[in-house]
Amino acid sequence: MNRATTGYLNKDRIRIHDPADFEGMRASGRLAAQSLDMIADYVKPGVTTGELDKRIQDFIEGAGAISATIGYRGYQHASCISINHVVCHGIPGDKVLKDGDILNIDVTCILDGWFGDTSRMYVAGKLSRKAERLVEITHQSLMLGIDQVKPGNTFGDIGAAIQRFAEAKRMGVVRDFCGHGLGQVFHSEPNVLHYGRWGAGPVLEPGMFFTIEPMINLGRPSTKVLSDGWTAVTKDRSLSAQFEHSIGVTEQGCEIFTLSPAGKFYPTW
């Protein structure tokens, strides 16, 4: 992985990128989003998560990029695929999708040294009403968090907006995982919490790049990691959902680098 060399670190050790760096993030974010657009047509009952992962790997490599997750801390797949009560970091393999399964697919690609990171929800077959409500609220939570991204606001504002909305809908906001800085590195400062207090945390500045990726549970927020060291599940076995965008702070507000070119970010659009 390339070390970040552009911009400078502010007093909170958060990298402030140069205006020219936005172009690299646009390209990598678009490719990551295109890979998730592509896979949408293949998510159906009877397909294995390993088949989906292979298609994603081939797509990313065919575009002249590489997967950031293959080889990362020993991980060997181009995506994380998290089904039903799996909160995040589900490992692709022989698992066969069943009718009504909901799943999050999370990809990160590296294009010309820049990291594009995004995830979204899919459904295999028919979406149940309770799952639909969870997915809808999780998507709204992400967009409300993004609405807070503008110079002068704080990272606490992002988390507070997500938490207030999701908990008002009687959903559990996962505390054990968070968003993160990125750019020419996969993970960097800051940690982007999906809960918090208004006005708390570092102040947002133009040139910051980071992800917002709330994980919302139909039940309680508690999670546990399975013995494989990766797969995180809800402790109460309730359904979980997640959406993720990569964001850049601009002078006027923010730019979403991972918008779906095909308009497929939400599974029922």
Side-chain angles (χ1 to χ4, degrees):
M1 297 179 187
N2 296 333
R3 294 177 61 84
T5 56
T6 59
Y8 64 92
L9 296 179
N10 73 359
K11 64 181 180 63
D12 296 302
R13 306 293 297 173
I14 300 171
R15 185 162 295 278
I16 307 300
H17 293 84
D18 298 330
D21 297 338
F22 278 74
E23 190 53 45
M25 291 298 291
R26 289 185 193 114
S28 63
R30 181 178 178 84
L31 178 59
Q34 286 173 324
S35 74
L36 293 186
D37 285 351
M38 175 277 301
I39 206 64
D41 290 338
Y42 299 98
V43 177
K44 57 188 67 175
V47 174
T48 70
T49 55
E51 291 175 60
L52 298 177
D53 182 71
K54 183 62 166 62
R55 288 186 182 276
I56 290 168
Q57 180 178 347
D58 290 347
F59 183 89
I60 290 172
E61 293 176 355
I66 61 174
S67 167
T69 53
I70 296 176
Y72 179 75
R73 297 184 178 178
Y75 196 77
Q76 294 301 318
H77 303 276
S79 63
C80 294
I81 302 181
S82 304
I83 303 173
N84 294 334
H85 72 287
V86 178
V87 176
C88 60
H89 303 158
I91 302 174
D94 297 332
K95 175 75 173 178
V96 177
L97 297 181
K98 303 188 302 297
D99 185 51
D101 281 343
I102 60 169
L103 55 153
N104 176 272
I105 303 181
D106 189 343
V107 299
T108 307
C109 64
I110 310 172
L111 181 64
D112 297 328
W114 295 95
F115 286 70
D117 189 1
T118 185
S119 82
R120 65 181 81 154
M121 295 300 295
Y122 300 82
V123 58
K126 183 175 175 56
L127 185 64
S128 72
R129 179 60 193 119
K130 70 174 183 179
E132 182 178 28
R133 181 171 179 268
L134 170 65
V135 170
E136 178 182 297
I137 289 168
T138 304
H139 179 261
Q140 289 178 299
S141 296
L142 169 64
M143 301 315 293
L144 287 169
I146 291 173
D147 284 346
Q148 295 299 317
V149 180
K150 60 190 72 173
N153 279 9
T154 70
F155 281 95
D157 295 337
I158 298 172
I162 292 169
Q163 181 181 11
R164 180 176 66 180
F165 176 75
E167 291 184 349
K169 302 295 185 180
R170 305 183 70 82
M171 302 284 178
V173 180
V174 171
R175 266 70 162 173
D176 298 330
F177 302 94
C178 62
H180 54 87
L182 82 169
Q184 289 180 298
V185 293
F186 196 171
H187 297 98
S188 62
E189 293 294 330
N191 288 332
V192 183
L193 305 181
H194 305 117
Y195 61 95
R197 293 182 294 107
W198 299 100
V203 175
L204 294 161
E205 301 178 47
M208 289 179 173
F209 298 160
F210 52 87
T211 70
I212 304 176
E213 46 187 294
M215 287 144 273
I216 308 296
N217 297 344
L218 200 56
R220 299 182 64 81
S222 302
T223 71
K224 65 179 180 180
V225 177
L226 301 184
S227 59
D228 60 27
W230 286 101
T231 308
V233 301
T234 56
K235 281 188 176 180
D236 60 8
R237 303 281 295 183
S238 63
L239 292 176
S240 185
Q242 179 187 18
F243 285 91
E244 174 184 14
H245 271 316
S246 293
I247 308 293
V249 185
T250 67
E251 295 288 346
Q252 295 77 31
C254 72
E255 179 175 347
I256 303 174
F257 298 126
T258 47
L259 290 172
S260 165
K264 296 181 178 180
F265 190 71
Y266 189 76
T268 58
W269 286 348

